[in-house]
Structure formats: C-alpha cells, structure tokens
Amino acid sequence: METKQMLGKVLVIDDERGPRESLKMVLKLDYEILLADRVDCGLELLRNENPDLVIMDIRMPEKSGIEGLQEIREVNPNVSIVMLTGYGDLETAQQAIRFGANDYLQKPFDADEILQVVKKYVDRSRLLARKRQAQQELQKMTQSLSREVGKTNKLTSLGAASAELVHDLRNPLTIIRGYLDLLNYELKEKQESTSTEMSEYLDQIERNVERCAELVESWRALGRIDFSQLQRLNLPKLLNECYRDAASHIEIAFSLQVEGGEEQYEMLGERLQVKRAFQNLIDNAVSAVARAGSPSITVMFSMNQSDIAIRVKDNGCGVDTKSLRWIFEPFDNTAAINKGAGLGLFITKKVLEEHRGTLEFESRIGEGSIVTVRVPQAHTALGYFSSPESMIQA
C-alpha cells in the first residue's frame, strides 16, 4: 500500500488537550502533526523536527505564547507561526504580530479556516526554504570559484582552466535558474502579493545569477573575437546607456564632455563585450562615489587622427598606491573597487586589448580615480580586423 505524501509538518503547542487533539484531527490526513503541551517541549521539537508551521496558544502556564514566540524566533527566524487566541485576547494577538507572528486565529476555530491558513503558511515556509537553498548554492559556487582560481598561478593558469571552470559553473547556474523560475511561477499561481523581504530575496538571487551567467560568457569569450559580430559602436551613446543601467536609483552628478560631434566617436567591436567592458568601469565609479558628499562622475571624450580616448573620472573613495599594483589581477580583493568576484577590471582590460585598446588607472585615496581608455577609431580598426592574424599576435 502506498504511503500518502504529506504536504508539510505542523507543530501545535497548546496546554489544553482539547484544541491540540482537534487540530490533529483536522490536519492529520494532509500534514505530519507534532504536539506539545508547553513552550519548552515545543522548542525541543522545533529544534529536532524542523516543522514548516507552528500553531501556538497565547495563554499558557510556565511560559506564555508571547515568550514562546520570541524564543522560537531566536531558534528559527523563518518558520511560519500562527497564534491561537481566546475571546478578549485581540490586543495580545496584535502584540504577537509585532513580535514576529505571521497570523492569529480566534478560538473556537473553524475547520475550513484552519485548513486554508495552514496551507498558506506551510507553503510560505517551504518557499522560503527553497530560496535559502538557492542562495546557499549560489554562495558555495562563488566561494568555490574564487578559492580554486585563487590557488592557480594567476594569468598563466587562467587560460588552461577556463574550459573546466565554465563547465563547472553551468550546472549550478542551471539549478539556481530553475529554483528562481519555480519560485516566480508559484507566486504567480497563488496570486498573492509578496512581502518586501521575499521580493528582495528573489531580486538578489536573480541579480547574482545574471551576474554569474555574464561571468561565464565573458570568460568564454576572452581571447577570441567573433568577426561576424563586429559593428560600429557610438561610444558616447554606449557610455550613457551604461550609466543608466548602473545608477537608475542613485542621484549622481553625471556628465559627458565631448570634443566635437558625438557621431565621430565610433569604434569597431562586439557590442556585448565592449558594453560589458565599459559597464564594469561605470559600475566601479558608481560604487566608489556611493558615500561621497556630492557624488560626481564625468566622462570625457577626445580623439586624434587614429584613436579615441575616453576618461572616466569620479570623486569617490579612491585606491591606495599599493593596491593599484594589483588592480588588473583576477580575483584581486581591492575592496574600494569591487565587492564582487574581482574579475571586472581583469575582463575589461582583456576585452579592450582584444579590440586593440589600452586601459590605464590612476587613483588617490579620498580624491577619486581616473580611468583612461584608448581604442582605435572605426576606420583605423578596419585595418586591424581585416587581418585576424594581426589580432591574435597583438
């Protein structure tokens, strides 16, 4: 005979036998039920059994439901908690919400109402558990990536390790994407509004997954150019776009200073790779000025007969002279530049070099930084790209 799959695990804490047994009778067909007649017994079951939902009476001897609620939140801040109240306990029930309860029900309770509430909060707990698992897998993947590549001999080993690294990254990324799709699907199916915490959690997973996905693609593309994807790129327009992406919710004084007409500033390149390179520079500048009193970023364009110069200047925190020596090294931990994986400037420099460009970085603590990029104008680059061999040797 097949064992029925339970929908979740519910812990009932109530000193009165009647309500305990009534809840067990209502829920036992669909849920695994754990019973406790006092708070301390319930806490022990909470630690050992990890239930999806706690249903707890407010008025109990020894420790009240409010005291129990506070202790439960210390043990497990995420488990769903529904308080049971008697007549006249409404003010206490509202106090329980302030202490972290998710909901409350009045005695005597209705069986249909109990089933609806239990399903809602068991689903909530399981949803949060899936999100935690997805975030933990993402963190493990990032830590493992940094640790393993950090063991290698920097640039010489990175090329040899890239194929294996990309292969290893793809599986966890696929898993995390799956979790994210599942969570979004379930939320839409339930047609319930999400809490601020839940929305932020989903956003965080999504942003980090996209960042890892871009890391994979950037890594795969390093050292090779797809000549079929080359196109003319208007750099002032591209830098404006990068700024909008980086600082859509931040008030920063941003200006583009262009000598002559903007239409002159065109380079030849792969749009995805070139935008990613400049996006890294703008992201770094935005992060650097985040705590400045009057944050400011200026992008200055100039050119000679063959090349375009782009200077990105910020008035942010700056980088000390010692750290500047390693600023283009992969997995450098220069906190003032990037709180991420430490690949941004390394990838930017490689992309620009593949496009016959250069990258220089000047900075002083407390005064800000100036990043100078030089790339060939489109008409100059045509000579380079018409001969792929010259690019390989560059």
Side-chain angles (χ1 to χ4, degrees):
M1 182 178 178
E2 276 191 34
T3 303
K4 181 179 178 181
Q5 181 69 38
M6 296 286 103
L7 300 179
K9 190 181 294 186
V10 179
L11 168 61
V12 179
I13 307 174
D14 196 321
D15 65 307
E16 296 183 67
R17 182 177 179 181
R20 289 200 312 269
E21 294 299 325
S22 296
L23 285 168
K24 181 178 179 180
M25 291 297 296
V26 171
L27 300 173
K28 68 179 183 179
L29 293 179
D30 296 311
Y31 301 92
E32 181 181 347
I33 307 299
L34 307 168
L35 301 177
D37 60 0
R38 60 187 185 278
V39 169
D40 286 340
C41 180
L43 285 167
E44 186 177 349
L45 286 171
L46 179 76
R47 293 186 182 96
N48 296 331
E49 300 292 338
N50 193 28
D52 301 299
L53 170 64
V54 177
I55 301 176
M56 181 166 56
D57 192 21
I58 284 183
R59 293 188 178 275
M60 286 187 288
E62 297 180 13
K63 288 182 181 177
S64 70
I66 297 295
E67 293 173 304
L69 171 61
Q70 292 172 297
E71 292 191 35
I72 287 172
R73 279 288 171 247
E74 290 178 6
V75 174
N76 188 336
N78 298 306
V79 67
S80 296
I81 303 175
V82 174
M83 307 300 292
L84 292 177
T85 73
Y87 178 75
D89 282 338
L90 182 59
E91 185 177 339
T92 309
Q94 292 171 341
Q95 181 186 4
I97 297 294
R98 291 196 294 271
F99 279 110
N102 298 98
D103 209 340
Y104 63 87
L105 291 171
Q106 286 192 324
K107 297 179 181 177
F109 49 79
D110 177 77
D112 289 336
E113 183 182 14
I114 282 288
L115 285 170
Q116 290 176 8
V117 169
V118 167
K119 184 178 187 313
K120 175 181 177 180
Y121 288 108
V122 166
D123 287 350
R124 172 191 176 273
S125 291
R126 295 205 158 193
L127 188 63
L128 287 173
R130 288 178 182 174
K131 287 191 293 185
R132 287 196 300 275
Q133 184 176 353
Q135 188 187 45
Q136 288 166 5
E137 293 201 30
L138 181 61
Q139 289 172 341
K140 286 179 184 177
M141 176 187 64
T142 305
Q143 290 167 2
S144 175
L145 171 63
S146 299
R147 190 166 51 248
E148 291 305 313
V149 177
K151 293 177 184 176
T152 67
N153 184 18
K154 296 290 184 179
L155 297 176
T156 55
S157 298
L158 285 173
S162 63
E164 182 179 351
L165 180 147
V166 171
H167 174 76
D168 290 343
L169 269 177
R170 276 181 170 174
N171 287 338
L173 274 174
T174 301
I175 292 170
I176 295 171
R177 280 185 184 277
Y179 277 129
L180 187 62
D181 290 342
L182 178 61
L183 295 180
N184 281 318
Y185 173 77
E186 289 193 359
L187 288 173
K188 289 176 183 176
E189 282 294 298
K190 297 178 190 308
Q191 295 182 337
E192 294 177 1
S193 60
T194 61
S195 67
T196 301
E197 180 186 12
M198 189 176 294
S199 296
E200 289 177 357
Y201 212 151
L202 282 168
D203 289 344
Q204 182 182 6
I205 294 173
E206 189 165 24
R207 285 196 303 271
N208 282 282
V209 169
E210 290 305 318
R211 186 168 186 173
C212 286
E214 288 189 359
L215 172 60
V216 170
E217 294 308 313
S218 294
W219 201 280
R220 291 179 65 203
L222 287 180
R224 57 182 176 83
I225 286 185
D226 183 352
F227 291 94
S228 67
Q229 297 299 315
L230 296 181
Q231 56 183 293
R232 287 178 176 267
L233 303 172
N234 182 279
L235 293 178
K237 182 178 179 180
L238 189 69
L239 267 293
N240 248 325
E241 188 178 321
C242 290
Y243 175 73
R244 288 197 302 271
D245 291 345
S248 57
H249 304 295
I250 305 174
E251 290 295 329
I252 297 174
F254 179 77
S255 64
L256 284 177
Q257 298 178 4
V258 183
E259 292 182 5
E262 290 189 5
E263 68 280 356
Q264 302 175 71
Y265 291 89
E266 285 191 342
M267 68 172 288
L268 200 63
E270 289 184 76
R271 178 179 170 77
L272 178 64
Q273 292 294 341
V274 172
K275 183 182 178 183
R276 184 170 292 121
F278 283 108
Q279 188 73 62
N280 284 333
L281 299 183
I282 297 297
D283 286 347
N284 286 342
V286 169
S287 297
V289 302
R291 296 185 180 180
S294 300
S296 172
I297 299 173
T298 303
V299 181
M300 295 159 279
F301 289 86
S302 61
M303 65 168 62
N304 57 28
Q305 290 184 343
S306 60
D307 297 330
I308 298 171
I310 307 102
R311 299 174 75 224
V312 180
K313 181 180 179 181
D314 69 66
N315 66 343
C317 53
V319 182
D320 63 84
T321 305
K322 183 179 178 181
S323 297
L324 277 176
R325 294 174 55 196
W326 312 106
I327 204 139
F328 297 121
E329 292 291 308
F331 299 98
D332 169 57
N333 291 319
T334 308
I337 292 297
N338 192 352
K339 295 181 181 179
L343 281 168
L345 288 174
F346 168 72
I347 289 175
T348 296
K349 188 170 185 288
K350 294 294 290 182
V351 168
L352 291 172
E353 287 175 348
E354 288 164 11
H355 288 79
R356 280 295 182 102
T358 61
L359 177 64
E360 298 174 3
F361 198 100
E362 307 168 53
S363 189
R364 288 187 180 179
I365 289 290
E367 295 184 18
S369 303
I370 300 175
V371 181
T372 303
V373 175
R374 290 183 175 83
V375 292
Q377 295 183 46
H379 68 82
T380 305
L382 284 171
Y384 300 144
F385 286 91
S386 63
S387 175
E389 292 78 11
S390 68
M391 293 299 298
I392 295 171
Q393 296 172 5

